[in-house]
Amino acid sequence: MRFAPNDDQAMVLDMVARFLAARTDPATMAAGPMPAQDWSALGELGLFGFLLPEAAGGMGGAPQDVMLVAEAFGRSLAITPLAEGVVICGHLLGAAASSSRGDQLLAGIAQGTLTLAFARGGMISDKGLTGHLGLVRDGMAAEAFLVAAEDGGVALLAADDPRLHRRPVRLVDGSLAADLRCDAAGAALLEVPEGQVAAALALGQLAIVAEMVGAMATLLDLTVDYVKQRRQFGQAIASFQVIQHRCARLYVMLEQARSMMLRAALAPEGERQASVAAARAYAGEAALRLAEEAVQFHGGMGVTDELAVGRGLRRVLLLSRLFGGPCAARAELAA
Amino acid sequence: MRFAPNDDQAMVLDMVARFLAARTDPATMAAGPMPAQDWSALGELGLFGFLLPEAAGGMGGAPQDVMLVAEAFGRSLAITPLAEGVVICGHLLGAAASSSRGDQLLAGIAQGTLTLAFARGGMISDKGLTGHLGLVRDGMAAEAFLVAAEDGGVALLAADDPRLHRRPVRLVDGSLAADLRCDAAGAALLEVPEGQVAAALALGQLAIVAEMVGAMATLLDLTVDYVKQRRQFGQAIASFQVIQHRCARLYVMLEQARSMMLRAALAPEGERQASVAAARAYAGEAALRLAEEAVQFHGGMGVTDELAVGRGLRRVLLLSRLFGGPCAARAELAA
Amino acid sequence: MEMSFSPQQLAFRDEVRAFLAQALTPRLRHGAALTSGVFAEPDIARAWQAILEAKGWLVYHWPETAGGPGWTPLQRWIFEKECAQAGAPVLPGMGLKLLGPVLYTFGSAAQKAFYLPRLRSAEHVWAQGFSEPGSGSDLASLRTRAERDGDHYIVNGHKIWTTQAQHANRLFALVRTDPAVKPQAGISFLMIDMALPGVTVRPILSASGDHELNEVFLDTVRVPVADRIGEEGQGWTIAKFLLENERGGTAFAPQLLADLVRLQGETGPLRGELAERALRLRLEAEALEITELRTLAEIEAGEAPGPRSVITKLIASEIRQGIEVLAVDAFGMAGLQWPEERPFYDAGVPAPFHSATAQVAAARYLNARAWSIFGGTSEIQLAIIARAALGL
Amino acid sequence: MEMSFSPQQLAFRDEVRAFLAQALTPRLRHGAALTSGVFAEPDIARAWQAILEAKGWLVYHWPETAGGPGWTPLQRWIFEKECAQAGAPVLPGMGLKLLGPVLYTFGSAAQKAFYLPRLRSAEHVWAQGFSEPGSGSDLASLRTRAERDGDHYIVNGHKIWTTQAQHANRLFALVRTDPAVKPQAGISFLMIDMALPGVTVRPILSASGDHELNEVFLDTVRVPVADRIGEEGQGWTIAKFLLENERGGTAFAPQLLADLVRLQGETGPLRGELAERALRLRLEAEALEITELRTLAEIEAGEAPGPRSVITKLIASEIRQGIEVLAVDAFGMAGLQWPEERPFYDAGVPAPFHSATAQVAAARYLNARAWSIFGGTSEIQLAIIARAALGL
């Protein structure tokens, strides 16, 4: 029973945290996705290899590794394709029979030089993949798509296929999604063992939970700092009892969400999907409430785009609502 | 558009309020149902006639009359059979074809000398009413039962029928219910026009909503008085910001619940049932939350049986949960 | 007790309804429906203002003596409710709701003759200059100075949270004309032509991506003394009048109820948790509607409104926020889109994914957070309620 | 990182499970299941205490040197979780959890020799005399006086909220032995034989109808100086030790989770809103379980527990209250019954309507309100969290 990272993990974490702190001070960084050169620099540092299993040419990729790194990303409020582009796509490729996958794709993910996007929907036939797949995160930047089709198959699509149509749609965190339609787009089929799609999806969702927990920690820190410094009626608003009680509530929500995240990351494999759903349900609600309170305590400045809390709220709104958000997660648990 | 009582109503209200204030100071009164002599004294004053329609030998009985009187009862935290024994039974009897009903029953209700109870369930056959009708409020004191049977019929049952079996069950507000079973109990059928059972039920539920609103007002008054007087750390706890904000919330809930009550009482007939359901849903939640907060602010004393807040919580728990409580009311609205 | 309308009131409602049915063009409805902020955008607002003015209903809340149509409080409410249900644009209130009553109550004959018609014609578009950086809800701490120089004041200061100042050509502002007396006593109320040298507007972008708010810098601006309303030092009294007007003047519930109905028209029937949230919001808004009507009925009966009138903004904020997050949730991924281009009904906005209502949902959600902050935070509202209603 | 148990821990769990399977008689389970208050009633508690003592597991949380079994913190947790899942009675903690550690830490050799065995055998049943009327959570304002008279103290005062004092024959109490020094410094810790002249117990009935609480009046009670624990004036230090022990010592989540499962076993599958509430409670309790384990893992690793350890009581109170109101709702009318006779498993209680679990629901609901009041109100907990965890 131990919830603290081991030495290897601590080393990686320290590396990521220092890298992100240098490039993404949440209090000052501009909105918008992380620049490509920062992303590939992280790849050069070997970070993405740490998120991929050995089968995928990585050197880690355990749920707890994913959780630790994603939480650090969440803390920075950075907008990256980590959860889907690296975790889901990397683990799906790693799970695919080696004959059916392109190892150079995995190398590209690991190096941070290739952007993949993950989509669900469509039907696979002899002619390729057909369907309206809806909004796909990072779908405009993606050079290829991994698609979990409705019929259970997993297909790899090149973004430059002329029968693949995408249209840019900006999302609320500032990232760019694609509205994706395929009309018999050329699809290379991946042989993914039964259950591995769901497993990769759960891992990606765990990363999203961890990003939310990281963002909660940053938003709470910013808020506590702010109320200690901001004065009204001649005193720091941190001295108001209502502020103290409500900040204490935020701390409780953060620690409880963190517990759910840890539980999901450390659960035995057979319980992972359920505990990830539980963590999504819990953290999704807690993160949005915390972000809303953080904005409220910042007053007028909180609703501008000039402070990190406003950006944090936008990011948390997106993360908390992905994959159907807390409602869908609860429905999954009730089923 | 006028939400204040008219002169007649104000007069009756004043009479009830003075009567109840003299006999039921919520801060000191003992737990337990209102004594029979007080009840019949109210009958002698003509109060119950004010709650009954002319068809039932009364001189009022409009939803707003019922609301006003029931709210006054709620304020006193008195435990009485008002909602079911007078309002539902009285209006059901009033709606029944005069040939089929016993006018002496109505006279007994109006005089406060006869206790009727209202029950639902059972099937009527040639031999009488049969079924397990569950917990019936005031069913032990009742001399007769009005039963809305599952098959839509309305039956009048004498409590001393040997094929009617009842067993006392104490309820959380201190009142005594009967667990009622009938085994072909003699049932006089009432000819009640279509829709009148539902109408009488809605009126009784409106009375219960008004009792809750009255209880909320009393519990908030007691709480505000208490926090102004109780001192901690050298100052009245009313000066703590958290107490102020949370008491303000209670006031908001009370006024909003009162609005829902007024809306239900003054709605056009065709909208009455839906607006009563809405009021039950709203007031049922608000009343319990307010009562719980009232107990919390009273600290240790709040959870004893020595203060009115504890009794108020018990009464509100019961009232708010009758007829399936807020959940059932919301389900009714969603249907 | 009586909650229904009189035949005259019903006839009036039908008249309003008929007018709205023909006056509200599809473009106006569309623009109103896709507004992400509090007030309609200038092009929509101008067009709608002209139509209402032509009908004689623009300043429906002003008394007859000031040029209003002479409606009772309930008539005004019926008008507002019908407008909300019909999906009419919400006009910016800075001129019509805030300055107007100040002008016809405290203004000189010359000021009324000059400013009121231009306010109505929208020749003048007004912004409100009360808040200053750091002052929060505490107007007494005002720091913008106005020093007398002959027939002019020299105004220096810094206003913030100035809604739609980028569209305005006039600013009404509180300024400190006497720093020597106690804080409230030294304040005056000025009307400032924003074309004057020294007035600079700096946008404050909202987290939603909207540009509604601004800072206004006043750097040695020469304002004619004739543009002061009331006496020197009377600014505090006028500001209190204005703020009370703002607080008492608006019924929130009709718009909230209409928006909730419209949302469910767009999403289709909701199920499970979302249906329950929608129902709870509906009940809260229905209760608020009666709470507001109770105050209105008191005013109509010539009674002083009870302390309950202070609770509506708090409740309305929470319902508004509940509706907007429900919208985001109901639209799923489509509720997370967020084009940078504005306004949402403009040709420059990318084609929406799923629907135009879904496209505006996230921006609306973000803007709704401001409801519990501006115009007195919810925390301030709770403190006011505790004091006014409970004596705490 | 590692959340699973070692093979040794799993073997230990199986051992506990096997023991509970045979030791928990139907009568004990039944009594535990129908307890409406915090602690098991005396007849159930005595029987279970004797069984645990015979097994050597009664004082499982005491160190080996004090007679405990020498378990690690995780073993204790496993034991508690298994007890909760098996539906074991919850023993009153005043003697075992609160006084015990004080005795073996601060007691003299003679005190330990005399009192510890009698505590374990239940010859002594202890009550806790800390709270006084008006003192709330503020122990420093203590007014019970103890004046030295040779080998005795003469104790005069009034204690309140004394749980199960009517079943106790011993009271440990904080008393003021020196009124001259600053409030905290003049307090001492006494053990008082309740059979002594001048000790009077007055019941305080709960709104639930239960008799759990009492007032204890101390009127010129002559307590031997030998029954003081620690030095004169050391009472404050000992009380802090005791209260921290109380706070840190308990894992709340296993019992809450077990009760939630048991409730749903009684009600059958819940639907709609009730199912959602049950799910939310489950998630909160599952999170709490990990939150508690995180602190335990820190202690097990020899680290100081983080500030997070102060949040558990607040959360546990809210889950407990949520479970009990869910129970009332899930049982419908049957959840509103409320016999006056106690305990609920006694032959004197009327036959339940629907089920015995339904019959106890309303009383449990009412008693659960006390969770956020006693042992530091939730408001005090929030203030502690704000200070300890956030530096506010």
Side-chain angles (χ1 to χ4, degrees):
Chain A
M1 190 74 50
R2 177 150 184 87
F3 295 93
N6 64 29
D7 291 346
D8 282 359
Q9 291 168 330
M11 212 174 64
V12 173
L13 211 50
D14 183 56
M15 186 263 288
V16 185
R18 269 197 283 171
F19 182 94
L20 292 172
R23 280 169 181 73
T24 62
D25 175 5
T28 58
M29 73 185 275
M34 176 180 276
Q37 68 270 25
D38 287 351
W39 188 252
S40 56
L42 282 165
E44 275 168 40
L45 287 168
L47 176 67
F48 304 134
F50 186 71
L51 296 176
L52 297 175
E54 282 179 31
M59 39 174 281
Q64 47 187 276
D65 302 327
V66 168
M67 173 195 79
L68 288 168
V69 171
E71 194 198 335
F73 272 78
R75 267 181 196 274
S76 76
L77 302 181
I79 297 165
T80 74
L82 186 81
E84 281 141 299
V86 178
V87 176
I88 297 183
C89 291
H91 282 256
L92 264 184
L93 286 171
S98 52
S99 59
S100 72
R101 75 172 191 243
D103 281 343
Q104 82 289 359
L105 290 176
L106 277 167
I109 292 177
Q111 288 155 17
T113 51
L114 174 75
T115 300
L116 262 75
F118 174 71
R120 291 190 295 178
M123 299 290 284
I124 300 173
S125 73
D126 297 349
K127 299 175 191 161
L129 185 96
T130 299
H132 183 190
L133 286 78
L135 295 186
V136 180
R137 283 175 86 200
D138 302 304
M140 292 311 294
E143 286 141 88
F145 292 85
L146 271 182
V147 179
E150 280 170 39
D151 47 29
V154 178
L156 179 66
L157 278 72
D160 57 6
D161 187 307
R163 288 153 303 175
L164 181 152
H165 311 283
R166 51 183 175 170
R167 187 171 73 81
V169 175
R170 183 74 59 187
L171 298 182
V172 65
D173 66 340
S175 66
L176 200 59
D179 177 9
L180 183 66
R181 275 176 204 279
C182 295
D183 182 14
L189 294 190
L190 264 61
E191 290 164 36
V192 179
E194 174 118 19
Q196 287 303 306
V197 175
L201 202 59
L203 214 53
Q205 291 171 337
L206 171 63
I208 291 166
V209 166
E211 282 197 75
M212 286 193 277
V213 170
M216 288 173 80
T218 291
L219 291 172
L220 180 56
D221 284 350
L222 289 169
T223 302
V224 169
D225 287 350
Y226 181 81
V227 300
K228 283 179 179 167
Q229 154 253 308
R230 162 87 172 150
R231 301 179 72 81
Q232 248 180 14
F233 309 106
Q235 51 189 323
I237 64 174
S239 67
F240 295 140
Q241 196 190 22
V242 160
I243 299 274
Q244 291 175 2
H245 281 209
R246 283 166 63 180
C247 283
R249 286 265 168 214
L250 302 188
Y251 176 76
V252 170
M253 289 195 292
L254 167 61
E255 287 304 317
Q256 287 279 86
R258 186 187 301 285
S259 288
M260 284 308 246
M261 169 189 82
L262 287 163
R263 179 168 168 272
L266 302 176
E269 204 173 323
E271 297 167 20
R272 191 169 308 142
Q273 273 167 249
S275 54
V276 167
R280 287 173 57 213
Y282 194 94
E285 293 224 334
L288 193 65
R289 274 184 55 202
L290 186 146
E292 289 176 347
E293 282 280 89
V295 165
Q296 180 73 22
F297 291 158
H298 276 80
M301 287 307 295
V303 291
T304 70
D305 80 338
E306 302 188 6
L307 295 190
V309 279
R311 279 205 318 284
L313 174 60
R314 287 165 48 193
R315 179 74 177 160
V316 163
L317 180 67
L318 181 97
L319 294 173
S320 69
R321 266 52 200 168
L322 291 174
F323 297 104
C327 286
R330 277 191 293 270
E332 193 180 314
L333 288 166
Chain B
M1 190 74 51
R2 179 152 182 85
F3 294 94
N6 64 29
D7 290 347
D8 282 359
Q9 291 168 332
M11 213 175 63
V12 173
L13 212 50
D14 183 58
M15 184 264 284
V16 185
R18 269 197 283 171
F19 182 96
L20 291 172
R23 282 172 179 72
T24 63
D25 173 7
T28 57
M29 73 185 276
M34 176 180 275
Q37 68 270 26
D38 287 350
W39 188 249
S40 56
L42 281 166
E44 277 168 39
L45 287 169
L47 176 69
F48 303 135
F50 187 72
L51 295 176
L52 297 176
E54 284 179 28
M59 39 173 282
Q64 47 187 278
D65 302 326
V66 169
M67 173 195 79
L68 287 167
V69 171
E71 195 199 332
F73 272 78
R75 269 184 194 273
S76 76
L77 302 181
I79 297 165
T80 75
L82 185 80
E84 281 140 299
V86 178
V87 176
I88 295 182
C89 290
H91 282 256
L92 263 184
L93 286 171
S98 53
S99 60
S100 72
R101 73 171 192 241
D103 281 342
Q104 81 289 357
L105 289 177
L106 276 168
I109 291 178
Q111 289 155 17
T113 52
L114 175 74
T115 299
L116 262 75
F118 174 71
R120 290 190 295 177
M123 299 291 284
I124 301 173
S125 72
D126 299 348
K127 301 173 188 160
L129 186 96
T130 299
H132 183 192
L133 286 77
L135 295 186
V136 180
R137 284 176 84 200
D138 301 305
M140 292 312 294
E143 286 140 89
F145 291 85
L146 271 182
V147 179
E150 279 170 42
D151 46 28
V154 178
L156 179 66
L157 279 73
D160 57 6
D161 187 307
R163 289 152 303 173
L164 180 152
H165 311 283
R166 50 183 176 171
R167 185 171 76 81
V169 175
R170 183 74 60 187
L171 298 184
V172 66
D173 66 340
S175 66
L176 199 59
D179 178 10
L180 184 65
R181 277 175 203 278
C182 295
D183 183 12
L189 292 192
L190 264 60
E191 290 166 33
V192 178
E194 171 117 19
Q196 289 300 308
V197 175
L201 201 61
L203 214 53
Q205 291 172 338
L206 171 63
I208 291 166
V209 166
E211 283 198 74
M212 284 194 276
V213 169
M216 287 172 83
T218 292
L219 291 173
L220 180 56
D221 283 351
L222 289 169
T223 302
V224 168
D225 287 350
Y226 181 81
V227 300
K228 283 178 179 168
Q229 153 253 310
R230 162 86 173 151
R231 299 180 73 80
Q232 247 181 14
F233 309 106
Q235 51 190 323
I237 64 174
S239 68
F240 295 139
Q241 196 191 22
V242 159
I243 299 275
Q244 292 174 2
H245 280 210
R246 282 166 64 178
C247 283
R249 286 264 166 214
L250 302 187
Y251 176 77
V252 170
M253 289 195 294
L254 166 60
E255 288 304 317
Q256 287 280 84
R258 184 186 301 286
S259 288
M260 284 307 246
M261 169 190 82
L262 287 163
R263 180 168 168 271
L266 302 176
E269 204 173 323
E271 297 167 20
R272 191 169 308 141
Q273 273 168 249
S275 53
V276 167
R280 287 172 58 214
Y282 194 94
E285 292 223 334
L288 193 65
R289 273 184 54 201
L290 186 146
E292 289 176 348
E293 282 280 89
V295 165
Q296 180 72 21
F297 291 159
H298 277 79
M301 288 307 294
V303 292
T304 69
D305 80 339
E306 303 189 5
L307 294 190
V309 281
R311 277 203 321 284
L313 174 61
R314 285 165 49 193
R315 179 75 176 158
V316 163
L317 180 67
L318 181 96
L319 293 173
S320 69
R321 265 53 199 168
L322 291 174
F323 296 105
C327 286
R330 275 191 295 270
E332 193 181 312
L333 288 166
Chain C
M1 304 175 99
E2 179 62 70
M3 203 175 62
S4 53
F5 291 117
S6 69
Q8 294 88 326
Q9 288 164 337
L10 289 174
F12 173 74
R13 184 195 67 186
D14 292 342
E15 187 193 350
V16 172
R17 209 171 270 185
F19 163 72
L20 291 171
Q22 59 84 13
L24 264 181
T25 62
R27 178 172 159 267
L28 288 172
R29 276 182 215 267
H30 184 68
L34 297 184
T35 297
S36 55
V38 180
F39 300 124
E41 302 283 342
D43 57 333
I44 299 293
R46 264 177 191 280
W48 185 231
Q49 178 160 348
I51 291 169
L52 287 176
E53 178 65 352
K55 177 75 179 170
W57 289 358
L58 177 66
V59 292
Y60 67 94
H61 48 291
W62 295 6
E64 230 170 338
T65 50
W71 290 350
T72 67
L74 252 177
Q75 277 182 295
R76 295 177 197 164
W77 185 85
I78 290 169
F79 178 71
E80 288 171 5
K81 174 145 179 126
E82 292 301 319
C83 284
Q85 285 188 333
V90 176
L91 294 181
M94 289 77 76
L96 294 164
K97 296 260 169 108
L98 301 183
L99 181 65
V102 165
L103 265 174
Y104 64 67
T105 307
F106 296 95
S108 67
Q111 286 172 333
K112 290 190 223 181
F114 181 77
Y115 282 110
L116 287 177
R118 286 171 178 77
L119 196 172
R120 295 170 65 154
S121 71
E123 180 185 335
H124 288 173
V125 177
W126 288 92
Q128 176 187 21
F130 279 19
S131 294
E132 298 185 1
S135 77
S137 312
D138 185 7
L139 285 183
S141 72
L142 205 74
R143 277 180 300 189
T144 294
R145 284 168 299 117
E147 283 158 297
R148 190 71 175 262
D149 178 23
D151 287 346
H152 286 79
Y153 290 107
I154 314 295
V155 182
N156 279 287
H158 180 183
K159 298 289 178 178
I160 197 169
W161 313 127
T162 320
T163 302
Q164 293 204 353
Q166 79 272 30
H167 305 312
N169 50 22
R170 287 289 190 288
L171 176 80
F172 61 89
L174 293 177
V175 296
R176 186 166 299 288
T177 40
D178 188 348
V181 295
K182 67 170 182 163
Q184 286 91 334
I187 295 174
S188 300
F189 192 107
L190 291 190
M191 296 182 285
I192 302 175
D193 183 345
M194 292 176 75
L196 286 173
V199 179
T200 315
V201 175
R202 190 187 81 85
I204 303 175
L205 276 192
S206 297
S208 67
D210 287 296
H211 176 195
E212 278 196 295
L213 304 170
N214 302 273
E215 291 178 276
V216 179
F217 297 90
L218 301 166
D219 180 10
T220 329
V221 182
R222 291 182 65 84
V223 180
V225 170
D227 281 344
R228 187 192 69 222
I229 302 189
E231 298 304 311
E232 198 167 275
Q234 208 188 346
W236 180 256
T237 308
I238 298 176
K240 265 176 53 187
F241 167 86
L242 178 148
L243 293 173
E244 270 160 33
N245 235 19
E246 180 181 18
R247 196 148 53 214
T250 318
F252 296 106
Q255 189 71 51
L256 294 166
L257 284 165
D259 286 352
L260 198 48
V261 169
R262 255 194 297 275
L263 173 63
Q264 288 173 91
E266 291 280 337
T267 61
L270 300 172
R271 279 180 306 180
E273 289 182 29
L274 296 183
E276 190 196 328
R277 274 161 56 190
L279 177 57
R280 285 174 183 274
L281 289 166
R282 195 191 95 196
L283 297 182
E284 197 75 51
E286 285 174 348
L288 178 62
E289 185 162 48
I290 306 298
T291 298
E292 291 176 339
L293 279 172
R294 285 162 64 198
T295 297
L296 214 58
E298 286 167 346
I299 294 170
E300 188 114 340
E303 299 158 12
R308 152 187 15 94
S309 60
V310 300
I311 72 179
T312 58
K313 195 223 163 196
L314 175 78
I315 304 167
S317 300
E318 290 172 352
I319 300 172
R320 170 59 59 200
Q321 294 174 344
I323 290 174
E324 302 309 344
V325 73
L326 176 67
V328 168
D329 281 337
F331 287 120
M333 268 309 274
L336 301 172
Q337 53 189 324
W338 181 75
E340 285 153 304
E341 299 80 1
R342 299 296 151 82
F344 279 90
Y345 53 83
D346 199 88
V349 174
F353 179 79
H354 184 277
S355 73
T357 311
Q359 193 180 36
V360 75
R364 275 224 179 105
Y365 163 82
L366 291 165
N367 281 330
R369 302 315 308 169
W371 271 71
S372 51
I373 294 174
F374 293 118
T377 63
S378 287
E379 290 74 30
I380 297 275
Q381 304 294 333
L382 286 166
I384 292 174
I385 295 166
R387 191 177 59 233
L390 304 175
L392 291 176
Chain D
M1 304 176 99
E2 178 63 71
M3 203 175 64
S4 53
F5 292 118
S6 68
Q8 294 89 327
Q9 288 164 336
L10 289 174
F12 173 73
R13 184 195 67 187
D14 293 341
E15 186 191 351
V16 172
R17 207 170 270 185
F19 163 73
L20 291 171
Q22 59 83 15
L24 265 182
T25 62
R27 177 172 160 270
L28 288 172
R29 276 181 212 268
H30 183 67
L34 297 184
T35 297
S36 55
V38 179
F39 300 124
E41 303 283 342
D43 56 335
I44 299 292
R46 263 178 191 282
W48 184 232
Q49 178 160 346
I51 292 169
L52 287 177
E53 178 67 350
K55 176 74 178 173
W57 288 358
L58 176 67
V59 292
Y60 67 94
H61 48 291
W62 296 7
E64 229 170 336
T65 49
W71 290 350
T72 66
L74 252 177
Q75 276 182 298
R76 295 175 197 165
W77 185 86
I78 290 169
F79 178 71
E80 287 171 6
K81 174 145 181 126
E82 292 302 320
C83 284
Q85 285 188 332
V90 176
L91 294 180
M94 289 77 76
L96 294 165
K97 294 261 170 107
L98 301 184
L99 181 66
V102 165
L103 266 173
Y104 64 66
T105 308
F106 297 94
S108 67
Q111 287 171 332
K112 291 190 223 182
F114 181 77
Y115 282 110
L116 287 177
R118 286 170 177 79
L119 196 173
R120 296 171 64 154
S121 71
E123 179 186 335
H124 288 174
V125 177
W126 287 91
Q128 175 187 20
F130 279 17
S131 294
E132 298 185 1
S135 77
S137 312
D138 184 9
L139 285 182
S141 71
L142 205 76
R143 278 181 300 192
T144 295
R145 282 168 300 114
E147 284 158 299
R148 189 72 176 262
D149 179 25
D151 287 345
H152 286 76
Y153 289 106
I154 314 294
V155 181
N156 280 286
H158 178 184
K159 297 291 179 179
I160 196 168
W161 313 129
T162 321
T163 302
Q164 293 204 352
Q166 78 272 31
H167 305 310
N169 51 22
R170 286 288 189 291
L171 175 80
F172 61 88
L174 293 178
V175 297
R176 188 166 297 288
T177 41
D178 188 348
V181 295
K182 65 172 185 161
Q184 286 90 336
I187 294 174
S188 299
F189 192 109
L190 291 190
M191 296 181 286
I192 301 175
D193 183 345
M194 291 177 74
L196 286 172
V199 179
T200 317
V201 175
R202 188 186 82 83
I204 302 175
L205 275 194
S206 297
S208 66
D210 286 297
H211 176 196
E212 276 195 294
L213 303 170
N214 301 273
E215 292 178 276
V216 179
F217 297 90
L218 302 165
D219 180 10
T220 326
V221 182
R222 291 183 64 84
V223 180
V225 170
D227 281 343
R228 187 192 69 222
I229 302 190
E231 298 304 310
E232 198 166 275
Q234 205 187 352
W236 181 254
T237 307
I238 297 175
K240 266 175 53 185
F241 167 86
L242 178 147
L243 292 173
E244 270 160 33
N245 234 21
E246 181 180 20
R247 197 151 52 215
T250 320
F252 296 106
Q255 189 73 48
L256 294 166
L257 283 165
D259 287 352
L260 197 48
V261 168
R262 257 194 297 274
L263 173 63
Q264 289 175 87
E266 291 280 337
T267 61
L270 300 172
R271 277 179 308 178
E273 288 182 30
L274 296 183
E276 190 196 326
R277 275 161 56 190
L279 177 57
R280 285 175 183 273
L281 289 166
R282 194 191 95 196
L283 296 183
E284 196 75 50
E286 285 174 348
L288 179 61
E289 184 162 50
I290 306 297
T291 298
E292 292 175 339
L293 279 172
R294 284 162 66 198
T295 297
L296 213 61
E298 286 167 347
I299 295 170
E300 189 113 342
E303 297 157 14
R308 154 186 15 95
S309 60
V310 299
I311 72 178
T312 58
K313 195 225 165 194
L314 175 77
I315 304 167
S317 301
E318 290 172 353
I319 300 172
R320 169 59 61 199
Q321 294 174 342
I323 291 174
E324 302 309 346
V325 74
L326 177 68
V328 168
D329 281 338
F331 287 120
M333 269 309 274
L336 300 172
Q337 54 189 322
W338 181 76
E340 285 153 305
E341 299 81 359
R342 300 294 152 83
F344 279 90
Y345 52 82
D346 199 87
V349 175
F353 178 79
H354 183 279
S355 72
T357 311
Q359 192 179 40
V360 76
R364 274 224 180 109
Y365 163 82
L366 291 164
N367 281 331
R369 302 313 309 170
W371 270 72
S372 50
I373 294 173
F374 293 118
T377 64
S378 287
E379 290 74 30
I380 296 276
Q381 304 294 331
L382 285 166
I384 292 174
I385 294 166
R387 192 176 56 234
L390 303 176
L392 290 176

